[in-house]
């Protein structure tokens, strides 16, 4: 592979390639969310487990790709700190979704709760909006569109908070034994963390737009 020349390092990447990477990373999160929902509906077999492991590695690889590219580029389309923060934040979303899936498998859950189904749908909505939100980085001048996306993400977060409240209320209603409470709570928390991080990314994108408008 030909090494980057000095001139190539001085120039911003063609076609805002960093932004393309963010979109790809967000799509990895969305795919992981879809796989998690498949686990809830159909259960986990070896093929689905393998697919999720691949998704986990894809998230790490994409972050590594961005950081490597960042280290080899002198002039970037947005602040270097923002590029690194976005890359790390999106990878953490995928990590949390994958962790929820793996715990679901590890804990041998065969009858998901209604709140698990609802939370699963919410995380698909959030990762879908995440992809849209980061795609707007290519149009930083469209502050209103970015603001609208951020507000949509906040609405999704509120929906997720409502689901978590009902799930927590159900967990401590006395219907479940202590071990089951711990298992379910772990899964609920991982997806809630993923949802919170989706909102954080939307805030970061809006802040970037404000700085570059």
């Amino acid at each position: 592979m030909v090494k980057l020349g000095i001139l190539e390092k001085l120039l911003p990447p063609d076609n805002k390639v960093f932004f393309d990477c963010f979109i790809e990373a967000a799509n990895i999160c969305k795919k992981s969310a879809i796989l998690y929902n498949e686990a809830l509906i159909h259960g986990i077999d070896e093929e689905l487990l393998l697919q999720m492991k691949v998704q986990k590695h894809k998230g790490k690889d994409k972050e590594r790709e961005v950081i490597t590219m960042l280290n080899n580029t002198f002039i970037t389309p947005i602040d270097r700190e923002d590029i690194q923060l976005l890359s790390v934040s999106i990878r953490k979303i995928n990590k949390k979704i994958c962790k929820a899936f793996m715990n679901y498998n590890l804990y041998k859950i065969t009858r998901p709760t209604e709140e698990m189904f609802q939370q699963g749908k919410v995380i698909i909505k959030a990762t879908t909006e995440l992809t849209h939100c980061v795609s707007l980085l290519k149009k930083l001048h469209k502050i209103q569109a970015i603001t609208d996306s951020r507000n949509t993400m906040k609405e999704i977060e509120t929906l997720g908070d409502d689901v978590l409240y009902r799930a927590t209320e159900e967990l401590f209603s006395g219907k479940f034994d202590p071990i089951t409470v711990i298992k379910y709570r772990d899964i609920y928390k991982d997806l809630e963390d993923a949802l919170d991080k989706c909102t954080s990314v939307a805030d970061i994108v809006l802040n970037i737009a404000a700085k570059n408008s």
Side-chain angles (χ1 to χ4, degrees):
M1 183 175 180
V2 180
K3 293 184 178 180
L4 289 173
I6 296 297
L7 183 59
E8 290 176 297
K9 286 189 175 184
L10 286 171
L11 295 174
D14 291 337
N15 300 320
K16 298 183 178 178
V17 67
F18 285 110
F19 300 157
D20 290 333
C21 285
F22 294 143
I23 295 171
E24 291 165 9
N27 275 316
I28 290 170
C29 296
K30 182 179 177 181
K31 175 63 175 178
S32 294
I34 291 171
L35 292 177
Y36 174 77
N37 276 268
E38 288 183 13
L40 295 178
I41 297 169
H42 303 296
I44 300 176
D45 56 19
E46 288 300 320
E47 176 61 25
L48 195 61
L49 184 60
L50 178 60
Q51 287 184 55
M52 186 58 95
K53 288 180 179 179
V54 169
Q55 288 300 112
K56 183 178 180 181
H57 288 297
K58 279 184 177 180
K60 290 180 180 179
D61 291 344
K62 186 56 61 177
E63 180 191 20
R64 191 177 299 115
E65 178 184 346
V66 171
I67 299 304
T68 299
M69 188 163 52
L70 185 61
N71 291 336
N72 285 314
T73 306
F74 291 160
I75 300 176
T76 54
I78 58 176
D79 289 348
R80 305 179 73 87
E81 295 81 4
D82 289 331
I83 291 174
Q84 183 170 2
L85 180 59
L86 270 176
S87 180
V88 171
S89 297
I90 296 173
R91 192 265 302 169
K92 286 182 177 179
I93 294 168
N94 191 60
K95 180 180 178 182
K96 286 294 182 179
I97 298 171
C98 291
K99 185 181 176 185
F101 178 101
M102 294 303 176
N103 279 339
Y104 186 87
N105 181 60
L106 178 66
Y107 295 155
K108 308 298 181 186
I109 297 173
T110 57
R111 299 180 66 181
T113 65
E114 177 59 30
E115 288 73 24
M116 285 181 184
F117 283 117
Q118 292 176 9
Q119 197 178 38
K121 292 177 181 177
V122 170
I123 201 63
I124 286 182
K125 287 183 179 180
T127 51
T128 299
E129 187 60 37
L130 175 73
T131 303
H132 172 62
C133 186
V134 298
S135 72
L136 293 172
L137 282 166
K138 290 186 175 182
K139 304 173 182 177
L140 284 175
H141 62 286
K142 295 193 173 182
I143 296 290
Q144 189 56 56
I146 293 171
T147 301
D148 290 345
S149 179
R150 185 260 186 187
N151 290 341
T152 297
M153 190 69 83
K154 292 293 288 184
E155 291 172 1
I156 296 171
E157 181 186 31
T158 299
L159 181 61
D161 289 342
D162 291 341
V163 173
L164 182 64
Y165 178 84
R166 292 195 299 274
T168 303
E169 186 177 42
E170 182 78 1
L171 273 183
F172 294 100
S173 65
K175 291 173 58 177
F176 303 101
D177 62 83
I179 297 299
T180 300
V181 169
I182 292 171
K183 291 178 179 180
Y184 287 5
R185 187 175 60 183
D186 281 352
I187 294 170
Y188 290 140
K189 185 177 186 306
D190 285 333
L191 287 183
E192 177 64 16
D193 287 346
L195 181 58
D196 288 345
K197 292 180 188 305
C198 285
T199 304
S200 294
V201 168
D203 287 338
I204 293 168
V205 171
L206 182 57
N207 288 337
I208 292 171
K211 285 194 295 184
N212 289 274
S213 61

